[in-house]
Amino acid sequence: MLKLAIIFGLISLVAGALGFTGIAGASGGIAKIIFAIFLVLLLLALAGLFLGFSIAF
């Protein structure tokens, strides 16, 4: 999931550099959402690791 967020971030940077502001804004927003989901899942996994319960993804 982090890989997907990085890919969308790179698409946003390239599109912004080439002047495609609509595509850059949209892909930047998608990258932010995917990264937020990644952080939530990471925190849940770490909490499960430290507290001793398992979450099946």
Side-chain angles (χ1 to χ4, degrees), residues 11-29:
I11 290 172
S12 175
L13 287 174
V14 170
L18 295 176
F20 299 108
T21 56
I23 295 171
S27 61

Side-chain angles (χ1 to χ4, degrees), residues 1 4-6 8-9 12 24-39:
M1 182 155 307
L4 192 59
I6 292 171
F8 273 104
S12 175
S27 61
I30 292 171
K32 286 180 189 178
I33 292 170
I34 292 173
F35 187 70
I37 293 170
F38 166 75
L39 285 180

Side-chain angles (χ1 to χ4, degrees), residues 30-53:
I30 292 171
K32 286 180 189 178
I33 292 170
I34 292 173
F35 187 70
I37 293 170
F38 166 75
L39 285 180
V40 168
L41 292 176
L42 177 68
L43 290 176
L44 285 174
L46 288 176
L49 180 68
F50 289 124
L51 297 177
F53 60 88

